[in-house]
Amino acid sequence: NAYNGMAVVYDKQGEYARALELYAKALAIYEQVHGEGHSDTAGVYNNMAGVLDSQGKLDEAMEMYQKALAIKIKALGPDHSSVGDTYNNMALVYYSQGKCEEALESYAKALEIRIAALSDKHPDVGRTYYSMASVYNKQGKEDLSLDCYKKALAIRRAALGDRLAQVRLSE
């Protein structure tokens, strides 16, 4: 719906209050037309959570992600890649809250779903490994961090192929 599209633009422009206002209108329409349990409704919750996260309203963002997750699991199934995306987003919030163990649990769920739904070579899998490496590094678990960074790099190399070799490290 147009409200959701406009909200995305306002979100990108950093006009968070306006974005949330329009997401709320989009949400009301989606709930009326599709019902509360539709994946489009979950998408709006997910978008609202992103705005709240950008504002530093982490508890509110987590509530929205949890609503989105519950709807997505019911509407799409627990193994859908979109469910993995929401787990990944939740992990980012947990990390921002300093909840490293919860972040790692969410990343692990995201990783499992993404590998099954997309493949172990998909860029989203690489990004999840990279994020997990950051958490492990923060915890002082260098061996685990290094292992995840290596997996992320291998996926990146496979995705970019020769283009990666053309990038000069000195730049």
Side-chain angles (χ1 to χ4, degrees), residues 55-74:
Q55 292 180 304
K57 298 178 180 178
L58 302 178
D59 291 337
E60 293 176 56
M62 186 57 74
E63 286 178 33
M64 293 293 164
Y65 281 134
Q66 288 170 340
K67 287 180 182 182
L69 180 66
I71 294 168
K72 287 180 179 184
I73 288 172
K74 190 171 184 178

Side-chain angles (χ1 to χ4, degrees), residues 58 90-104 135 138-139:
L58 302 178
M90 291 170 69
L92 292 167
V93 173
Y94 282 132
Y95 183 74
S96 294
Q97 291 174 320
K99 299 177 180 178
C100 290
E101 290 305 319
E102 290 89 340
L104 288 170
V135 178
K138 183 176 183 174
Q139 291 180 317

Side-chain angles (χ1 to χ4, degrees), residues 77-92:
D79 300 326
H80 193 277
S81 64
S82 184
V83 172
D85 295 344
T86 301
Y87 276 121
N88 198 80
N89 293 339
M90 291 170 69
L92 292 167

Side-chain angles (χ1 to χ4, degrees), residues 104-123:
L104 288 170
E105 288 173 21
S106 289
Y107 281 135
K109 289 176 185 175
L111 190 63
E112 179 182 347
I113 293 167
R114 286 176 163 182
I115 289 171
L118 303 172
S119 92
D120 62 347
K121 308 241 183 298
H122 194 277

Side-chain angles (χ1 to χ4, degrees), residues 116-144:
L118 303 172
S119 92
D120 62 347
K121 308 241 183 298
H122 194 277
D124 286 349
V125 171
R127 283 189 280 279
T128 301
Y129 277 125
Y130 186 88
S131 296
M132 291 175 78
S134 297
V135 178
Y136 285 130
N137 193 39
K138 183 176 183 174
Q139 291 180 317
K141 298 178 180 178
E142 290 85 8
D143 289 344
L144 293 172

